[in-house]
Amino acid sequence: RSAERSEAVGRGYDMVLVLRVLILFLILVVIAGLAAWFSEQPGSVTLEWQGWRIDTSVGVIVLLVALIFALGAMLYQVWRTFRRVPRAMGERRESRRREQGYLALTRGMVAIAAGDTVEARRQAKRANDILNRPAGALLIGAQAAQMEGRTGVAHKFYDAMLEDPETELLGVRGLLTLAERAGETDVALNHAERAYALSPRTPWVLTRLFGLQIKARQWEAAERTLREAIRVKAVGADDGKREDAVLLVQLSLMAERSGDKRLAQERARKARTVDPNLLAAALQLASLQHADGRDRAARKLIE
């Protein structure tokens, strides 16, 4: 495909070259024709100015006028070129600065991967000075600070990312990670919910939110998140079914504690349908049936 594209580009370039040669040839033919026509026409031109007198033919005058126009066009082109030079030099200088900035970002990422936090911070600062706080420099600075155990500095970097919509999700993810490592489940859950509001279909957002909702014992919210995760394939179908069944057992226990036996049985029965091999679902449903006086159904389920 690449060879075909290159061949097509080559053919297009050849066509343009042939067209340009043809246009130049036609222009030369027209000029030669006009010159021959003027040379065959009778007549003369006399110019008198400041005591000077010039007698010449019409063809010479036409040629002189054409030369004057050509010279004017050439001078105009030279003037335009000189005007473009400062801007072109500025653009070239800016292009080189951007290249240096992106090179610094690349070196900073390599340094992070190699565990060289000192070099990573140096390159991140250089990229930051050149590119005016790019997202990559903030991320490198945050990761270097995390590797050095300076969570406060990393927190500031991630907070700075929240100011730009393009890096907000990245900043939230960093703050979420810091909160999880610090054992701050409630803070981490808030960050996960913010990440979900920003990008509700992103796999890592759904799985992290689900895990934190489980830790916070928010069973109903966790079930909704899990169903969404299964729908977008952030969680495998088999694993998702088992997790869903476990959640339904928890919801059944909650309904039982609140005195809603009908809802408790409905959720336990649904858990059995989702994952027939989950022992906890069978035991919960059998317990509810026994409490409801349906010992025969409970015995059959246990057997």
Side-chain angles (χ1 to χ4, degrees):
R1 188 175 301 169
S2 177
E4 291 176 359
R5 190 180 297 114
S6 299
E7 186 178 350
V9 170
R11 285 199 301 268
Y13 178 78
D14 291 340
M15 288 292 294
V16 170
L17 184 60
V18 170
L19 186 59
R20 286 181 177 177
V21 171
L22 182 59
I23 291 173
L24 180 60
F25 178 74
L26 291 174
I27 291 172
L28 291 174
V29 168
V30 171
I31 291 174
L34 287 172
W37 183 81
F38 275 117
S39 65
E40 294 174 357
Q41 301 304 314
S44 62
V45 177
T46 300
L47 295 176
E48 291 185 5
W49 183 69
Q50 296 290 329
W52 290 85
R53 177 187 174 93
I54 300 174
D55 295 315
T56 185
S57 65
V58 175
V60 172
I61 288 297
V62 171
L63 179 59
L64 183 61
V65 171
L67 288 174
I68 291 172
F69 273 107
L71 181 61
M74 188 183 302
L75 291 174
Y76 175 71
Q77 190 63 35
V78 170
W79 176 74
R80 284 189 61 190
T81 301
F82 273 108
R83 278 196 63 188
R84 284 203 203 104
V85 167
R87 185 173 62 185
M89 290 179 63
E91 290 175 353
R92 193 175 297 111
R93 190 163 47 246
E94 184 62 26
S95 177
R96 281 200 299 268
R97 278 179 57 82
R98 282 198 303 270
E99 288 177 4
Q100 291 173 358
Y102 292 133
L103 180 60
L105 282 178
T106 302
R107 288 173 176 170
M109 292 175 185
V110 171
I112 283 291
D116 188 350
T117 57
V118 176
E119 178 65 13
R121 280 190 283 106
R122 190 176 75 83
Q123 294 294 344
K125 183 179 183 305
R126 187 160 184 260
N128 188 57
D129 293 339
I130 295 173
L131 300 175
N132 190 22
R133 299 182 69 186
L138 293 174
L139 180 60
I140 291 170
Q143 290 183 338
Q146 279 185 251
M147 292 171 66
E148 294 172 340
R150 300 186 302 157
T151 55
V153 176
H155 203 289
K156 290 180 180 178
F157 276 111
Y158 289 129
D159 280 337
M161 292 184 194
L162 301 181
E163 299 174 7
D164 188 345
E166 293 185 0
T167 59
E168 185 178 2
L169 183 60
L170 193 60
V172 171
R173 184 174 188 173
L175 293 173
L176 169 58
T177 300
L178 292 178
E180 284 182 322
R181 289 180 179 177
E184 301 172 345
T185 302
D186 292 340
V187 176
L189 182 57
N190 289 335
H191 289 313
E193 289 171 348
R194 181 173 178 176
Y196 179 77
L198 291 171
S199 184
R201 295 176 60 85
T202 302
W204 72 261
V205 172
L206 292 167
T207 53
R208 299 279 283 275
L209 178 60
F210 173 72
L212 288 166
Q213 287 170 334
I214 293 294
K215 281 186 178 181
R217 305 180 71 82
Q218 296 182 4
W219 308 115
E220 293 182 356
E223 186 188 15
R224 290 194 297 269
T225 303
L226 179 61
R227 292 187 185 281
E228 180 65 16
I230 294 171
R231 190 175 69 82
V232 302
K233 298 182 179 179
V235 175
D238 293 337
D239 293 339
K241 285 182 179 179
R242 186 167 185 81
E243 295 286 355
D244 195 11
V246 170
L247 283 173
L248 286 166
V249 172
Q250 293 293 339
L251 291 171
S252 174
L253 289 168
M254 288 175 60
E256 183 183 8
R257 291 192 196 102
S258 64
D260 193 341
K261 294 183 178 180
R262 183 193 62 78
L263 182 59
Q265 287 196 36
E266 179 182 321
R267 287 173 170 172
R269 197 174 294 109
K270 188 174 181 181
R272 283 272 300 153
T273 303
V274 171
D275 188 356
N277 296 320
L278 183 62
L279 179 60
L283 291 176
Q284 172 64 5
L285 181 57
S287 174
L288 290 168
Q289 289 172 339
H290 171 66
D292 200 30
R294 299 167 59 199
D295 290 341
R296 191 174 193 179
R299 187 181 301 110
K300 182 179 179 182
L301 180 59
I302 292 170
E303 290 173 353

